Amino acid sequence: MTGFDLFWFFFILAALQPILRQRLLEAARQRMIAKIEKMRGSRVILLVHRQETMSLLGFPIMRFIDINDSEQVIRAIHLTDPEVPIDLILHTPGGLVLAALQIARAVKKHPGKVTAFIPHYAMSGGTLIALAADEIVMDEHAVLGPVDPQLGQFPAASIVRATREKPLEHVDDQTLIMADMAEKALRQMRENLKDLLSGKYPPEKVEELSDLLTQGHWTHDYPITYEEAKKLGLPVRKDMPHEIYQLMSLFPQPVRQVPSVEFTPGPRRAPGSHNHQSMLSLLRTWWS
């Protein structure tokens, strides 16, 4: 082997190294997901958003809950038998209201128990999804956040408050239009949260939580700690399984081209279910 051949061998090896490392990480995550599912008898779904680096230029970019995430999570729920519990691991700053609401509604409608695990933080839309679960397991240092709507870079509640406190003749048309949209967004978010919380709390508690979390009583990045969530009456625990931390360690930061929703492919059947033909049919539908 000549020096030129060695050069190309090491060049190809260096080029393939990131891809191989990524594949090893993905395989390790799938093994850990399978381990947790076997241990808890559940379907494990991850919704994880990390800061990533673009493939060529190296600029950091942030990831948020989007429509693709909602499609993937809902698909995972559809592949899960109604009586099988779901463990939803959330690590996200939030994202699109529509996508978060779609996930939250699918979570609430699942007949089996749904547990939201929050090892670090689940803000905004992430909190909305967690509130739809039957139980929330938080690390003692993890945080939730308010779910008040934002219009661009401004909180909807602040837009409404500013137009009410300023003489109408001094408010331009664009701001008035934004205030109208902000009022609608606040009303819609409150009603959506009431719908998600109904049946989980007494009616007066539903009203209290919906108003507190959606109407701009705090800044949008206000951290709701485990202790504060407990005081609010949310169904939180802090006995986080060690395996959840191990799984999160397989999402190093920064990462490249990592899917933000992962689950073991194929249906998750309840114990005692042996309908192989139905499972094969679902798998064909999934991969097609």
Side-chain angles (χ1 to χ4, degrees):
M1 182 178 288
T2 66
F4 184 76
D5 292 333
L6 282 173
F7 168 79
W8 278 108
F9 174 76
F10 285 112
F11 177 80
I12 294 171
L13 188 63
L16 291 176
Q17 186 181 4
I19 299 173
L20 293 173
R21 184 168 59 245
Q22 186 60 40
R23 293 293 181 268
L24 289 172
L25 268 177
E26 290 171 1
R29 284 198 295 269
Q30 286 294 318
R31 287 195 299 270
M32 184 56 68
I33 290 172
K35 178 181 178 181
I36 297 172
E37 287 184 338
K38 183 177 180 180
M39 178 182 70
R40 293 180 53 84
S42 65
R43 156 80 75 186
V44 173
I45 305 173
L46 282 85
L47 183 58
V48 175
H49 295 108
R50 286 286 205 184
Q51 178 173 292
E52 296 192 4
T53 303
M54 294 176 64
S55 299
L56 295 177
L57 302 180
F59 295 125
I61 56 174
M62 294 299 296
R63 301 188 67 188
F64 305 93
I65 300 172
D66 58 22
I67 294 298
N68 180 64
D69 292 336
S70 63
E71 291 176 357
Q72 290 283 70
V73 172
I74 291 171
R75 183 178 297 173
I77 293 174
H78 283 166
L79 287 170
T80 306
D81 273 2
E83 61 269 31
V84 173
I86 289 177
D87 291 331
L88 188 57
I89 302 172
L90 300 171
H91 180 85
T92 177
L96 292 178
V97 173
L98 172 60
L101 273 174
Q102 285 183 304
I103 296 172
R105 286 171 178 152
V107 164
K108 183 184 178 182
K109 288 182 179 179
H110 183 70
K113 181 180 179 181
V114 180
T115 304
F117 290 90
I118 304 173
H120 186 52
Y121 76 119
M123 305 294 285
S124 190
T127 298
L128 194 67
I129 296 168
L131 291 171
D134 300 297
E135 190 174 48
I136 303 172
V137 180
M138 300 174 64
D139 179 87
E140 60 179 338
H141 304 297
V143 294
L144 300 168
V147 296
D148 55 309
Q150 310 292 296
L151 268 64
Q153 59 181 324
F154 301 113
S158 297
I159 295 173
V160 173
R161 192 171 297 119
T163 54
R164 287 177 179 171
E165 294 179 357
K166 193 173 183 179
L168 191 60
E169 60 271 16
H170 295 159
V171 181
D172 62 83
D173 290 347
Q174 183 176 350
T175 303
L176 288 173
I177 293 171
M178 288 184 64
D180 178 62
M181 293 174 59
E183 286 184 349
K184 292 174 182 175
L186 288 165
R187 183 173 63 253
Q188 289 167 187
M189 183 57 74
R190 180 168 53 197
E191 293 304 313
N192 284 321
L193 187 56
K194 284 169 63 176
D195 181 60
L196 291 175
L197 298 179
S198 64
K200 300 177 182 292
Y201 306 91
E204 61 276 8
K205 189 65 176 178
V206 170
E207 290 286 345
E208 176 193 340
L209 288 173
S210 299
D211 181 77
L212 187 64
L213 293 171
T214 68
Q215 300 302 298
H217 294 276
W218 296 305
T219 59
H220 193 60
D221 61 350
Y222 178 77
I224 300 174
T225 62
Y226 166 79
E227 289 78 12
E228 189 156 5
K230 197 78 173 175
K231 290 178 184 176
L232 291 175
L234 300 181
V236 294
R237 297 175 11 223
K238 60 177 180 179
D239 51 334
M240 182 75 66
H242 180 65
E243 288 78 8
I244 302 294
Y245 296 116
Q246 290 180 314
L247 182 55
M248 288 303 300
S249 71
L250 299 174
F251 287 86
Q253 172 126 348
V255 292
R256 296 184 179 185
Q257 299 178 353
V258 174
S260 53
V261 178
E262 287 200 24
F263 54 92
T264 51
R268 178 65 180 167
R269 294 300 182 191
S273 175
H274 300 290
N275 191 348
H276 300 298
Q277 189 62 37
S278 175
M279 180 163 57
L280 287 173
S281 176
L282 280 172
L283 280 172
R284 292 191 189 101
T285 303
W286 160 257
W287 289 116
S288 63

